[in-house]
Amino acid sequence: MLAVAGVMTLAGCSKEHQCKCVTTDIEDDGNLKVFVLEGSVSCEDITEMAFEEHVSVEGGTTLRTVDVHKVNCRSYGD
């Protein structure tokens, strides 16, 4: 029974959770911003968000970061 409890505890720590974020450096656009995180990262650890777009370069593609903003996040559902 103790082994089962240990496995359940470890599985609970690794589950994903969702965070809802709002921009703080500009007026929030009202669009829902939800991030899915692994169990070891808290929502309060997220301080910045950005979008990335694919850009063609010689030999393939790369990502370019655009639209970077400061955010305030909390657990989704709170």
Side-chain angles (χ1 to χ4, degrees):
M1 196 62 132
L2 184 58
V4 171
V7 170
M8 294 294 281
T9 301
L10 289 175
C13 293
S14 65
K15 287 188 177 180
E16 298 175 336
H17 60 278
Q18 296 178 341
C19 302
K20 178 182 177 184
C21 302
V22 293
T23 54
T24 58
D25 61 341
I26 61 169
E27 185 176 342
D28 192 65
D29 58 12
N31 291 329
L32 185 61
K33 296 168 209 58
V34 176
F35 295 92
V36 178
L37 302 177
E38 295 296 323
S40 62
V41 180
S42 82
C43 295
E44 291 77 20
D45 291 339
I46 302 172
T47 59
E48 202 171 70
M49 70 163 222
F51 292 97
E52 293 182 331
E53 61 185 13
H54 287 271
V55 178
S56 296
V57 293
E58 184 177 323
T61 61
T62 189
L63 292 174
R64 177 174 59 192
T65 303
V66 295
D67 224 8
V68 179
H69 295 290
K70 298 287 184 194
V71 293
N72 186 4
C73 302
R74 61 180 174 82
S75 292
Y76 191 53
D78 286 349

